[in-house]
């Protein structure tokens, strides 16, 4: 199960089935989806000489070109297509929609194709964002599709978009899975029910796939692990996403003083960038060594190019030059990115912040944590948002501790210049994912047995003090695959269909020959994506393949921003 390859298969079909010079028309949502998995050079290789948006009414008329339209089946995109067909700018139109197209929409297109330029209308199920091979999301943002209505309930538009995105992933991979959901999450159950209804009623699409006992869909809720989104990240891809910002594979560096023009905006692509593919999971310390070796490789290659003593040498140089130029651009890009990360880490005192975050997330030592928090809040060099995240972690861990000092810490934040509206996020997160809302004891501190395990865990050797934390999702999956705590997982993740007879999860023999799709209502994290990639490698001999999805891919900032727009009673 590879989200990127599934999407690329459809793009290749769309561009290859129609030969000759063509235009690719996209809408505002399919544009970023395609930019994640395709490049301009690939589009040119398929004779696609122009890419534009269907909403752009100021395009030139080019009747000698064919037009490939790839749009989402939304009312806005259909209206734009109708306007296009009433006054066609190209010779022939081949319309591909990214999901199930309503019969009424087909009729509207047919009625308005008076020039009879539409040659084809097809459904190609690529209605998701393929962030990495083992991570997809459906692109929910507070601005476009707010996740929550009120409290732990779906905004109807967000639910509809999520069902569409998740169903297209299943159709693209030809899966009809058994659905399990987290027992304490009404949102996870509702999503499962809507998805099951769609699969049952779209028999012409899903009917060709028998219920697949080898594929499981686990729908889980972010509220059961609000800790992972609050931690500073220390691997390359996650740091870029969290500290600088990665939007559909693009990074905007225009804000950096004296930035070179060619790196004001850069792209991240595993397909096109070998260094990024090899280094995305490296921690920050190892990353410095890796980029040093990369620069040395570049220098050795440039020095070898100076030895041009014959025509054959010159010929070899000219043949190698495109790759040499690509290497030069990549070296500049990654040196710039890592330099900016280093500046941010130093300026924001992130090593000190992260050490306290990891202590709060992984160890039960209330007096030490409280003392360190008081000192950090008083430190003027620490950014307000980092102080706030540490206090939220403290509140999540110690909210039921008798000597908890949450009220004192909130007042200290305000006294030290943190805005009162920001401080209110502490109560919001507790109402969203506090102990009364969570299904599991993520801190292992809610009973005597858990506390004993926590103390034992703290005695183990720690490879890196900044990366002690393991996401709850990763621990859950590894225990299932190994066959541990079977009854616990069956109770926590009940079948949506109680009559179903799927393989038991967490049986004592472990899992074999299973495809597992884990979908996180409330957004996935890149730390979780890395964990899934490592589990896929670790358990490949059991033929277990895991794909992670989410309503979005969060940073700590976007996670708190999404919650801040919602009232949790």
């Amino acid at each position: 199960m590879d989200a990127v390859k599934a999407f690329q298969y459809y793009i290749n079909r769309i561009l290859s089935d129609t030969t000759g010079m063509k235009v690719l028309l996209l809408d505002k949502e399919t544009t970023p989806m395609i930019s994640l998995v395709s490049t301009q050079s690939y589009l040119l290789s398929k004779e696609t000489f122009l890419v534009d948006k269907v909403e752009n009414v100021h395009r030139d008329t080019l009747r000698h070109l064919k037009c490939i339209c790839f749009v989402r089946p939304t009312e806005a995109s259909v209206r734009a297509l109708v306007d296009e067909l009433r006054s066609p700018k190209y010779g022939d139109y081949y319309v591909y929609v990214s999901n199930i197209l309503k019969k009424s929409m087909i009729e509207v297109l047919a009625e308005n194709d008076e020039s009879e330029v539409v040659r084809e209308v097809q459904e190609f199920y690529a209605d998701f964002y393929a962030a990495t091979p083992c991570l997809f999301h459906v692109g929910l943002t507070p601005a476009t599709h707010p996740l929550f209505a009120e409290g732990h309930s779906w905004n109807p538009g967000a639910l509809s978009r999520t069902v569409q995105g998740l169903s297209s992933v299943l159709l693209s991979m030809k899966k009809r899975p058994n659905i399990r959901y987290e027992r304490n999450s009404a949102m996870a159950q509702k999503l499962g029910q809507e998805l099951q209804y769609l699969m049952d009623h779209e028999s012409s699409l899903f009917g060709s796939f028998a219920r697949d006992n080898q594929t499981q869909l686990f729908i889980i809720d972010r509220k059961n692990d609000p800790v992972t989104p609050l931690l500073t990240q220390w691997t390359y891809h996650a740091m870029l996403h969290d500290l600088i910002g990665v939007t559909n594979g693009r990074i905007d560096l225009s804000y950096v003083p004296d930035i070179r023009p060619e790196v004001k905006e850069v792209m991240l692509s595993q397909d096109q960038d070998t260094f990024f593919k090899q280094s995305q999971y490296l921690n920050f310390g190892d990353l410095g060594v890796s980029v040093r070796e990369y620069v040395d490789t570049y220098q050795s290659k440039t020095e070898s190019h100076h030895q041009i003593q014959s025509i054959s040498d010159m010929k070899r140089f000219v043949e190698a030059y495109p790759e040499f130029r690509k290497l030069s651009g990549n070296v500049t890009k990654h040196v710039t990115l890592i330099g900016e990360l280093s500046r941010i880490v130093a300026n924001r005192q992130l090593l000190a912040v992260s050490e306290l975050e990891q202590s709060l997330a992984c160890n039960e030592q209330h007096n030490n944590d409280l003392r360190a928090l008081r000192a950090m809040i008083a430190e003027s060099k620490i950014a307000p948002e980092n102080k706030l995240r540490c206090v939220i972690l403290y509140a999540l861990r110690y909210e039921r501790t008798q000597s908890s000092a949450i009220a004192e810490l909130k007042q200290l934040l305000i006294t030290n210049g943190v805005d009162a509206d920001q401080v209110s996020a502490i109560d919001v997160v507790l109402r969203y994912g506090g102990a009364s809302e969570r299904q599991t004891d993520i801190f292992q501190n809610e009973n005597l047995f858990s506390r004993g395990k926590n103390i034992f865990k703290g005695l183990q050797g720690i490879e890196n003090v900044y990366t002690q934390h393991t996401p709850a999702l990763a621990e859950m999956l590894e225990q299932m695959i190994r066959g541990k705590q079977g009854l616990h997982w069956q109770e926590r993740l009940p079948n949506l269909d109680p009559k179903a007879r799927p393989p038991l999860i967490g049986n004592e023999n472990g899992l074999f020959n299973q495809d597992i799709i884990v979908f996180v209502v409330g957004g996935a994290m890149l730390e979780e994506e890395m964990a899934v990639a490592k589990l896929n490698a670790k358990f490949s001999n059991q033929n277990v393949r895991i794909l992670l999805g989410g309503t979005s891919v969060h940073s700590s900032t976007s996670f708190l921003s999404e919650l801040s727009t919602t009232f949790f009673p």
Side-chain angles (χ1 to χ4, degrees), residues 289-304:
V289 176
S290 183
V291 78
R292 176 71 261 177
E293 292 173 351
Y294 195 42
V295 170
D296 289 344
T297 300
Y298 168 67
Q299 287 179 331
S300 67
K301 289 192 175 186
T302 56
E303 287 168 4
S304 68

Side-chain angles (χ1 to χ4, degrees), residues 24-45:
L24 178 60
L25 271 192
L26 306 170
D27 63 23
K28 64 182 181 180
E29 292 186 77
T30 55
T31 300
M33 290 178 189
I34 283 189
S35 71
L36 274 171
V37 300
S38 192
T39 63
Q40 191 68 40
S41 58
Y42 172 77
L43 296 178
L44 285 170
S45 73

Side-chain angles (χ1 to χ4, degrees), residues 181-194:
Y181 66 94
E182 281 198 306
R183 181 168 45 94
N184 72 328
S185 173
M187 294 181 73
Q189 183 178 20
K190 179 66 173 175
L191 175 58
Q193 290 169 341
E194 293 293 319

